């Protein structure tokens, strides 16, 4: 799965979780720029990402992420570790 495909999946998931069909963001988007991304929707996004990418996030995996690109890096690393890259 390419970075672009991961991003497309994240955007689709975000549109569903945030109930915002027109939601758009890119790799350089800061999470603070995504208004709908609050603590409750974060939980739903994490569950959705784990299902969509067949991964499990550890406690430290999602700390200190500033941009969507950082999240994609983590997803790529976890997929490689799980052998689903």
């Amino acid at each position: 799965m390419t970075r672009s495909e991961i991003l497309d999946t994240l955007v689709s998931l975000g549109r569903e979780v945030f109930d915002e069909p027109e939601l758009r963001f890119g790799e350089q988007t800061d999470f603070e720029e995504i208004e709908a991304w609050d603590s409750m929707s974060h939980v739903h996004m994490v569950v959705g990402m784990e299902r969509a990418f067949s991964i499990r996030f550890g406690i430290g995996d999602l700390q200190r992420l500033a941009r969507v690109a950082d999240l994609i890096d983590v997803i790529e690393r976890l997929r490689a570790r799980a052998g689903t890259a």
Side-chain angles (χ1 to χ4, degrees):
M1 184 174 254
T2 67
R3 290 182 73 83
S4 178
E5 291 169 328
I6 293 171
L7 177 61
D8 290 345
T9 301
L10 289 173
V11 171
S12 293
L13 183 59
R15 287 176 178 168
E16 180 182 326
V17 168
F18 305 141
D19 194 27
E20 290 192 24
E22 301 300 317
L23 179 69
R24 296 183 190 277
F25 54 84
E27 283 199 47
Q28 300 310 313
T29 303
D30 290 332
F31 287 109
E32 294 175 359
E33 296 175 46
I34 305 173
E35 292 180 28
W37 200 306
D38 60 20
S39 59
M40 190 58 156
S41 61
H42 177 79
V43 172
H44 292 288
M45 281 294 292
V46 168
V47 170
M49 289 184 291
E50 287 182 337
R51 287 182 183 152
F53 299 112
S54 300
I55 58 173
R56 294 290 295 187
F57 290 106
I59 291 174
D61 289 329
L62 299 175
Q63 294 178 341
R64 298 184 194 95
L65 299 181
R67 299 174 304 139
V68 173
D70 301 329
L71 176 57
I72 293 172
D73 291 343
V74 170
I75 291 169
E76 286 182 320
R77 180 175 45 83
L78 293 174
R79 285 178 52 81
R81 185 184 306 158
T84 59

